[in-house]
Amino acid sequence: MRILILGGDGYLGWPTAMRFSQGGHEVHVADNYFRRRAHDEAGTDTLTPIGPDLPTRAAAWREVTGREIGVTEGDLVEWDVVERLFRDFRPDAVVHYGEQPSAPYSMKSREHAVWTQTNNVVNTLNVLFAIRDLAPDCHLVKLGTMGEYGTPNIDIEEGFIEITHKGRSDTLPFPKLPGSLYHLSKVHDSHNIHFACRIWGIRATDLNQGVVYGIETEETALDPRLATRFDYDDVFGTALNRFCVQAVIGHPLTVYGRGGQTRGYLNIVDTLRCVELAVETPAEQGEMRVFNQFTEQFSVVELAEIVQKAGIEHGLDVEVTPIDNPRVEAEEHYYHATHRKLLDLGLEPHLLSETLVESMFATIEQHRERIVLDHILPRDRWRS
Amino acid sequence: MRILILGGDGYLGWPTAMRFSQGGHEVHVADNYFRRRAHDEAGTDTLTPIGPDLPTRAAAWREVTGREIGVTEGDLVEWDVVERLFRDFRPDAVVHYGEQPSAPYSMKSREHAVWTQTNNVVNTLNVLFAIRDLAPDCHLVKLGTMGEYGTPNIDIEEGFIEITHKGRSDTLPFPKLPGSLYHLSKVHDSHNIHFACRIWGIRATDLNQGVVYGIETEETALDPRLATRFDYDDVFGTALNRFCVQAVIGHPLTVYGRGGQTRGYLNIVDTLRCVELAVETPAEQGEMRVFNQFTEQFSVVELAEIVQKAGIEHGLDVEVTPIDNPRVEAEEHYYHATHRKLLDLGLEPHLLSETLVESMFATIEQHRERIVLDHILPRDRWRS
């Protein structure tokens, strides 16, 4: 298959590209290096060293495996970039990771909020119009987020819910309570994609993904030049990555507020498998499928405890300290989200274990001198 | 009260401004004349002559009533325009009509779609940040649309619905099935506003308005220079306006498809009253209220029949002809939408009658020479 990976320079984009290339597919990646620029501006960086750009990464991939990955350096907000990608590459599937992915980034200021929503909504609209006009059979596999749902007081279903009301029923989009202006951009995308499926007959799979952890895949392990990024900073890092870095440097694990915030999590290896499963069994023409893409639920306190336990095993002295929550979110809440569809397609989960956390410690220790200490704690408060 | 009307040059914006001014409030209007420019580009125009710009309209208002309406000519997508409005005028309430209001316009092309969503989403984000940072007590009264809900197979509630699911319940945003890229922009706005209320404590009322008809209000009737616009063209016109024009010029009333498309409708006089009621009884800090703002439901065929009947009374020879539907929408469907909250606040509906339609005939006959014949039928098809 001809598979286009948008955001192919990213934490998940690059490993996804290598996986499909290794599987014998024809792969093309596109990226505008937004995250690299945002890191440069903030004075932060990925902990794991990665190639300086996509051509260099693709050259290393060719050297190691003999396989080709095509590269476009460009911005998906510009229609001629998207048009050229679809005209020249004629994808059978497009895996769309190409968005501003950080909630704290979107909450920094009005400018960051407007930029995040404009960037994400417009580039997805461009992709939808490109599919409609240039590749109507192409299957859109779009990376959404479990954060679109927020934390309702009922079980979260996969995209749609059957509602019985005043004696009638209908299956309707699951109501959304997103928790940041970034998460809102994904909600906007989901509505736009659903419309495009209904009106234009586009086929799409919206992967409402949980928080991904881990950096090792079969392909990243082949050569250090094929590594993917590891973000632990206040803007692009995840709580688990931050905790692992804090454990290694002897800093208390900083839990935001009471720490009852519960979310879905999955291993990067499972992300790649989920995307593969989605691409291999495409949605029908006109269908918008939604998969809740995670394998386990944890609260922030539970994550901290796992890291603490693994740290002690590893000979580290690890404390857990709550700090004032910079976000505005429920710190204790009901959370139960369905995630059957990917299991039904054959996903075999790799669960979070202390062994995996210890392997993350090892990577962090290896690159310890690259840690930027003053960008681990939150800098922006979401309340006005 | 100090009331800021965004989109104050529009069909509803200008009459709303006059109403509040007449009521003794301090009123400021802002508009970027988007609709005038779009009409110029298309070669269409309002049937009723209106003043050439807001300063001229405000001068006529001053001459007729001795009252002042402040004017800003500017684009709400530009932050400094919005910032200056809020800093200088310090509104107690902002009535936000300032968006691209046409579904067919948004469906013309990728450029029109992207522009519509960017314009509408960004200017509402700007307003939310302005309230947060410059006028935290200001009540946002935002014009949404009944079209956000689409045509689900259950009763439509006012913004939120209590869902019982797997033994638990929660009151959640009503699921949205918007029918155009314009309607989607309003769905995006609603989600952004809800977030701003939840996270920043903003107070907002989202008026999910039906289709408005009529051009006469107490204030427009004072002087011909105070008239509001009447659009009947393929892009900005409504079905009822189109039917009235067709009846007058002896053209068959063109019903799109089977004509079972049912929507909520209300008289412009009731729109003004609803906005007044919302402003007079503001939402609580942190509350996002949603009112379904319409008084009656009609199918397109029913509207055509009302116009036909009124036409015959009026001595016109009126036929009804179905044409191929340029839109993609259910042409026969269940439709029952709750609209209690404004009635509970005291709204006394003015219902659609043949007398009102006949008064519209009279206005159309008066300006008959201004009718642009070749822009009545649809030019753009929504299916790809």
Side-chain angles (χ1 to χ4, degrees), chain A residues 79 110 117 126 132 153 157 165-166 168-170 173 175 178-179 188 191-192 195 198 200 334 382 384, chain B residues 79 110 117 126 132 153 157 165-166 168-170 173 175 178-179 184 188 192 195 198 200 334 382 384:
Chain A
W79 171 244
R110 189 199 63 84
Q117 292 210 352
N126 281 346
R132 185 192 78 165
N153 195 36
E157 299 301 322
H165 180 59
K166 296 183 177 172
R168 304 180 61 86
S169 27
D170 201 355
H188 305 341
H191 281 98
N192 284 341
F195 173 79
R198 286 185 285 130
W200 297 330
Y334 179 74
W382 294 14
S384 56
Chain B
W79 171 244
R110 189 199 62 85
Q117 293 210 350
N126 282 347
R132 184 191 78 166
N153 195 36
E157 299 302 323
H165 180 57
K166 296 182 176 172
R168 304 180 63 87
S169 28
D170 201 356
L184 278 154
H188 305 340
N192 284 341
F195 173 79
R198 287 184 284 132
W200 297 330
Y334 179 74
W382 294 12
S384 55

